Amino acid sequence: MALSDHLRELRARIIRSVAVLVVAFCVALFFYDQLLELVMRPYNHAQESLGDKVDTTAYIKGATGPLLLQMKLCGVAAVVASSPYWLFQIWGFVMPGLHPHEKKWTRIFISIAGPLFLIGVATGYYVLPKGLDVLIGFTPANLKSLVEFGEYFSFFTRMLLVFGIAFEIPLFVILLNLAGVLPGRALAKYRPWIILGTMVFAAVATPSTDPFSMLMLAIPMLILFGVAEVIARAVDRARGRRRESTQQWGDDELSPL
């Protein structure tokens, strides 16, 4: 197509995505109480775990705080809920420019990346109460902990996003191996450094500073790295067999067939 046709197609896909996003936002407004309960559940669990040790209360700042809270919470929920549609629109715009083998690998990547991201988000949601328990637990005995909801919600989304993205890193390692950039033997050679780097990444990436959150991020990542190394070595062996079966002929030599 001409450039103008591509731009018109892009405009149409953006308009459709925005329309679905607006509809999802309006639907989220009706489930605001359930969404708020879902977001506050980790804090409530941490509050129950602390008991009488720390007096902690969540609050909303400012006269416009409640309205902004509702808009922000429903907006994030709408983006997440409508993500399959607008991601499909992106895929539909890019797909015609891909070769058949590129389409195949992209479908495999999407089918694996989605569940991995969701598993990471679920792990972060499970870890979050422990992290809040440790962080709020530093409050001195004679002081009260006031948790501003805007900061808590940013912490909440950042924590889940970090866990979701971290679970995708081993998948990118496999893709680099399939592209011939990262051989499996290199993963084995630098395995101690990978373990150390994963621990450092988990300690820096997790918004909370407790060791439990760090380990809950690092251990699954190390397991996924182990799986990635096994797959990379299998791919390298398969490539080696194919190479050995054809290396008896030179690149410029005419085969007997």
Side-chain angles (χ1 to χ4, degrees), residues 28-199:
L29 292 174
F30 290 97
F31 296 94
Y32 169 69
D33 293 334
Q34 291 83 353
L35 292 172
L36 183 60
E37 181 184 357
L38 181 67
V39 173
M40 289 298 297
R41 189 174 298 165
Y43 172 78
N44 294 332
H45 286 175
Q47 192 178 37
E48 294 175 0
S49 177
L50 290 168
D52 297 332
K53 298 178 183 178
V54 178
D55 186 9
T56 177
T57 303
Y59 74 99
I60 301 175
K61 182 173 63 176
T64 59
L67 177 61
L68 293 177
L69 160 64
Q70 188 169 4
M71 297 295 105
K72 186 176 181 180
L73 182 57
C74 293
V76 172
V79 171
V80 174
S82 62
S83 58
Y85 182 81
W86 54 262
L87 287 173
F88 174 77
Q89 292 299 320
I90 296 175
W91 164 251
F93 181 75
V94 175
M95 184 178 63
L98 299 178
H99 296 291
H101 69 281
E102 293 174 336
K103 294 178 182 179
K104 180 187 71 172
W105 288 115
T106 306
R107 291 190 185 97
I108 295 175
F109 173 78
I110 292 175
S111 63
I112 298 175
L116 272 181
F117 184 82
L118 294 178
I119 293 173
V121 169
T123 304
Y125 190 81
Y126 170 76
V127 171
L128 191 55
K130 300 291 185 182
L132 291 172
D133 191 351
V134 173
L135 293 175
I136 299 175
F138 283 107
T139 305
N142 57 339
L143 295 178
K144 183 176 183 179
S145 173
L146 299 178
V147 179
E148 201 274 319
F149 185 85
E151 296 179 357
Y152 166 74
F153 187 65
S154 299
F155 174 83
F156 176 88
T157 53
R158 190 166 63 250
M159 185 84 165
L160 300 190
L161 189 61
V162 164
F163 271 79
I165 293 176
F167 275 53
E168 303 286 350
I169 295 177
L171 179 60
F172 283 102
V173 172
I174 296 176
L175 291 178
L176 290 175
N177 175 261
L178 291 173
V181 178
L182 186 63
R185 62 180 180 274
L187 295 174
K189 180 180 179 181
Y190 296 104
R191 189 184 300 126
W193 293 104
I194 291 175
I195 295 174
L196 178 61
T198 302
M199 290 295 182

